[in-house]
Amino acid sequence: MSAISIGMMIIMLGTIWGGLVVAMIHLLRHPDETSGTDGERRAAAAQAAEQ
């Protein structure tokens, strides 16, 4: 492998893994509470509480 290809590999791996880390941090700070069956149950409970 040449130095250019190694450099591009490092950049691309950093981009992929960095994006994964950023996504995980975002989900930890802003959990998605509206998906799945738990989300449907919570949404129904929230609507019932408003009425």
Side-chain angles (χ1 to χ4, degrees):
M1 268 196 196
S2 68
I4 293 174
S5 62
I6 292 173
M8 287 300 294
M9 182 181 69
I10 291 171
I11 290 171
M12 294 312 294
L13 285 172
T15 301
I16 298 295
W17 287 103
L20 178 64
V21 169
V22 169
M24 289 173 59
I25 290 171
H26 177 73
L27 283 173
L28 286 172
R29 291 185 180 169
H30 308 285
D32 184 10
E33 298 174 351
T34 61
S35 65
T37 56
D38 286 340
E40 292 171 359
R41 195 170 1 121
R42 288 181 185 169
Q47 279 184 340
E50 288 177 2
Q51 295 176 354

